[in-house]
Amino acid sequence: MKIENEATRNAAQLVTNCRNAVLATSDAEGHPHSAWMTTQVTTDMEEIISITAPNSLKADILRANPQAEWMFASPSMETIVYLSGRTRLIEGDAAKRYWDQMPGKSKAYYRKYCETEDYHKFAVIRTEVSKVVLCKPYAYTKSVLWDKSVPAAA
């Protein structure tokens, strides 16, 4: 996504400043599940990575339904950015590259459940962002900043 106007710059800055986000998923029967996650997001907001246990509920849900949405919020909740897209789990040796990129692993939520530094014991959640929405709840506005499925205007 090109960061080319004030709205996209503000959204990217908020996402950059958030160390944690809420991951929202829905299982095959439509039952929702949300979880706070420590994240790493590319500067263009096109990729999000996080780490979880491979046997977690969210991992099971993502195997059945790979669509997910991430919610990043300002501390005041005046601005919220939603990033959504196809999500996959990366495990084993393929996870090492992402494991090495993830900052603050010693303070991440999943460390409460597993103290090891062995990336083989974790799964990387990788979302390829296809839609970015900027929300201003107090102003009752939501703006789609980018939707990969909609062709750019000429």
Side-chain angles (χ1 to χ4, degrees):
M1 175 180 146
K2 288 186 180 181
I3 311 298
E4 58 190 4
N5 59 44
E6 184 178 359
T8 56
R9 279 192 297 277
N10 290 342
Q13 187 64 48
L14 186 147
V15 168
T16 297
N17 290 339
C18 288
R19 297 270 307 127
N20 301 307
V22 175
L23 170 65
T25 58
S26 177
D27 69 17
E29 288 81 40
H31 301 120
H33 176 65
S34 297
W36 281 105
M37 305 289 294
T38 301
T39 62
Q40 179 70 23
V41 183
T42 57
T43 57
D44 61 6
M45 295 190 294
E46 289 191 25
E47 179 185 72
I48 305 166
I49 62 168
S50 190
I51 299 173
T52 192
N55 60 348
S56 67
L57 177 58
K58 70 184 85 53
D60 290 343
I61 289 172
L62 287 168
R63 285 183 187 100
N65 179 5
Q67 293 302 313
E69 182 171 77
W70 295 85
M71 182 181 74
F72 297 82
S74 65
S76 66
M77 299 296 284
E78 290 180 38
T79 305
I80 298 171
V81 177
Y82 297 98
L83 305 178
S84 57
R86 187 164 182 78
T87 303
R88 66 184 179 107
L89 294 173
I90 302 167
E91 300 178 67
D93 289 335
K96 182 170 184 357
R97 178 181 130 215
Y98 297 99
W99 175 266
D100 290 344
Q101 289 176 20
M102 183 60 88
K105 288 188 281 290
S106 65
K107 297 177 185 173
Y109 292 120
Y110 59 83
R111 296 307 293 241
K112 182 175 181 175
Y113 306 103
C114 191
E115 294 289 325
T116 184
E117 288 291 325
D118 182 1
Y119 62 88
H120 289 99
K121 301 217 184 271
F122 296 97
V124 171
I125 297 171
R126 180 179 180 267
T127 302
E128 294 179 41
V129 177
S130 58
K131 188 173 184 180
V132 178
V133 175
L134 175 65
C135 179
K136 298 281 191 171
Y138 298 124
Y140 303 104
T141 63
K142 272 190 177 179
S143 304
V144 176
L145 300 181
W146 183 62
D147 188 338
K148 200 174 191 176
S149 67
V150 176

